[in-house]
Amino acid sequence: MTDHPLRNTPAMDAFWMPFTANRQFKAAPRLLVSAEGMHYTADDGRKVLDGSAGLWCVNAGHGRRGIAAAVERQLATLDFAPTFQMGHPIAFEFAERLAEIAPGGPDKRLDRVFFTNSGSESVDTALKIALAYQRAIGQGTRTRLIGRERGYHGVGFGGLSVGGIVSNRRVFPQLNGTDHLRHTHDPARNAFVKGQPAHGAELAEDLERLVALHGAETIAACIVEPVAGSTGVLIPPKGYLERLREICTKHGILLIFDEVISGFGRLGAPFATDFFGVVPDLVTSAKGLTNGTVPMGAVFASRAVHDALMQGPDGIELFHGYTYSGHPIACAAGIATLDIYREEGLLTRVADIADDWAAALHDLRGRKNVIDIRTIGLVAGIELAPRPDAVGKRAYEVFVDCFERGLLTRVTGDIIALSPPLIIERGQIGEIVDILGAAIDRVA
């Protein structure tokens, strides 16, 4: 492994790092000190190609001056204002701008926007809206929430409960009244597929099984990621999402798509909802909402869901919210981000490069210990054979090797996940594959 001398390494004891092996990291830290375009700069001066859009969020690339200028102007104009029984104009402006590109298009009207501060908060908000909706329409017995194995829906207690990652769940209690569909990962039938795999639509029938087990009258909502990212890029089989929609409609169950990762151009359409042509009742978002510059999330609700809660006597319709819901600085960053997406066509640009992306990544097939490659839009999952005595170690070593040689990837278990900024050029796709392929060879 190449040694790079650290410069100006800060004291590290105080920061308890999230989702990190703290002791291991602090013994050999990897520090990023600046960023521009497609690259980070490490603390030793090396340029590092961003193969993961930061953490699935920097869709328009780093260092966008328009966003920085918008934030600076907003800080000088109005740094904070409450949105509890008060308001400020930029929150309403941002919501209207989001409504223009709302999931499903103008005919489906998922154009009522509730602001949060993260993907985790968006998920818990969507689950609470679903429960409140069912109660508002006289279905108060519907309190059960259905998630899916290998799903990731953030780290709030609601998201943990419907999520399906055992390491996230084992230490913490979950909400009562949750259940899970089986995951759709089926490498025996669907290995090395570009786009949606052919096999597995029948797994959606798990929802019918849960209806038979619990009774439809107890189930409020079903939440899934259209494309599961954090568990290794799990792509829905053809017909799977369509069948989930049919079953939910049949039984009065709200369908929630968690698009914290897949939203804002990642698949070559504004949302995965648009890409797959399947429209849920609620959509969660965050990450690309502000290009990762300021923490923010949002829930898109259908008018049917929203309007059901606007009935009854005057007063607060939904007893839920956050101090920073619709924060003016975040809204300014979000509007500037939408301007960039529109001016540069980034919400659909991936449609033009997705085939090149898939072809380049699938060239890694045949490398030692590569047991599957999955691609869709500008996302890829390269699954490696686990070592018998150390699950996850092989992929982690590939991740470290890539970083040392100038490429940032995401590692989850024995899967290397890639999701670069949407501004990537074709030559940079080749650079990613070259560095990753060489790392796999070295580590194998």
Side-chain angles (χ1 to χ4, degrees):
M1 197 66 69
T2 303
D3 281 333
H4 302 288
L6 293 174
R7 301 174 182 174
N8 300 320
T9 304
M12 294 188 171
D13 290 344
F15 180 25
W16 191 344
M17 299 173 68
F19 279 115
T20 298
N22 277 253
R23 292 164 295 175
Q24 183 181 33
F25 176 88
K26 291 172 183 179
R30 295 171 294 277
L31 298 177
L32 304 170
V33 297
S34 65
E36 184 75 21
M38 283 291 300
H39 291 85
Y40 283 105
T41 300
D43 67 336
D44 57 9
R46 289 178 305 117
K47 294 297 182 183
V48 179
L49 182 60
D50 187 357
S52 59
L55 200 58
W56 307 85
C57 53
V58 188
N59 289 6
H62 297 275
R64 301 305 300 241
R65 299 296 184 260
I67 300 175
V71 167
E72 182 181 17
R73 286 193 302 271
Q74 188 59 47
L75 275 169
T77 304
L78 178 68
D79 55 354
F80 175 79
T83 52
F84 294 7
Q85 306 287 15
M86 293 294 297
H88 56 87
I90 196 168
F92 294 94
E93 180 186 352
F94 189 28
E96 290 294 330
R97 289 287 302 276
L98 288 170
E100 293 173 3
I101 61 165
D107 294 338
K108 301 303 180 182
R109 297 186 172 182
L110 268 70
D111 58 3
R112 297 298 183 255
V113 181
F114 195 105
F115 287 122
T116 70
N117 306 295
S118 67
S120 294
E121 289 184 3
S122 290
V123 166
D124 278 19
T125 295
L127 297 176
K128 291 175 78 173
I129 289 173
L131 293 168
Y133 165 81
Q134 297 289 7
R135 185 181 181 91
I137 65 170
Q139 296 288 313
T141 60
R142 292 181 180 265
T143 59
R144 190 174 301 277
L145 302 167
I146 306 299
R148 186 169 60 187
E149 296 171 357
R150 293 188 66 163
Y152 177 70
H153 300 293
V155 294
F157 279 103
L160 283 179
S161 300
V162 294
I165 302 176
V166 64
S167 296
N168 291 2
R169 292 163 54 89
R170 60 164 46 101
V171 176
F172 308 107
Q174 280 95 59
L175 300 179
N176 291 327
T178 58
D179 211 332
H180 294 75
L181 312 172
R182 286 174 292 173
H183 64 74
T184 62
H185 187 40
D186 187 354
R189 295 192 295 170
N190 293 325
F192 298 100
V193 171
K194 299 175 183 178
Q196 290 186 265
H199 306 287
E202 71 280 359
L203 291 167
E205 299 300 326
D206 274 9
L207 187 53
E208 285 282 17
R209 177 178 59 82
L210 295 179
V211 167
L213 175 64
H214 299 297
E217 73 280 2
T218 72
I219 302 175
C222 175
I223 182 170
V224 296
E225 299 162 277
V227 175
S230 295
T231 52
V233 186
L234 307 184
I235 300 167
K238 293 177 181 177
Y240 175 84
L241 295 175
E242 291 86 345
R243 184 59 184 141
L244 273 186
R245 174 71 275 181
E246 291 170 358
I247 296 170
C248 286
T249 300
K250 173 183 174 183
H251 294 293
I253 300 167
L254 292 187
L255 179 60
I256 306 170
F257 279 178
D258 184 343
E259 292 220 41
V260 170
I261 281 176
S262 59
F264 299 101
R266 180 57 50 189
L267 302 185
F271 294 89
T273 294
D274 309 302
F275 180 85
F276 293 115
V278 179
V279 182
D281 303 289
L282 296 160
V283 169
T284 65
S285 68
K287 295 188 183 288
L289 184 66
T290 63
N291 201 44
T293 56
V294 180
M296 193 180 204
V299 177
F300 293 86
S302 70
R303 291 195 183 183
V305 170
H306 170 271
D307 292 351
L309 292 170
M310 297 299 129
Q311 309 301 315
D314 289 343
I316 296 173
E317 296 92 0
L318 180 68
F319 281 83
H320 175 70
Y322 304 97
T323 299
Y324 301 117
S325 290
H327 192 287
I329 308 307
C331 288
I335 290 171
T337 298
L338 291 186
D339 287 342
I340 292 170
Y341 289 159
R342 180 182 59 195
E343 292 163 5
E344 300 182 13
L346 293 183
L347 295 183
T348 56
R349 181 177 186 267
V350 167
D352 295 329
I353 61 174
D355 288 346
D356 293 338
W357 171 257
L361 268 298
H362 280 270
D363 277 348
L364 295 171
R365 183 173 183 173
R367 302 269 183 163
K368 188 175 181 181
N369 291 312
V370 174
I371 60 175
D372 191 18
I373 299 170
R374 303 180 285 278
T375 55
I376 192 168
L378 196 58
V379 186
I382 299 89
E383 187 160 358
L384 307 177
R387 291 176 179 156
D389 59 341
V391 173
K393 188 173 181 180
R394 191 192 306 279
Y396 178 79
E397 290 179 4
V398 169
F399 158 76
V400 173
D401 189 282
C402 284
F403 181 79
E404 292 294 320
R405 288 166 173 81
L407 173 65
L408 179 65
T409 66
R410 178 88 172 95
V411 63
T412 173
D414 272 299
I415 300 163
I416 298 294
L418 297 168
S419 61
L422 309 182
I423 63 171
I424 191 170
E425 299 295 339
R426 285 174 171 83
Q428 292 165 332
I429 294 174
E431 186 179 351
I432 287 174
V433 173
D434 288 345
I435 295 173
L436 177 57
I440 291 172
D441 290 344
R442 278 188 290 268
V443 169

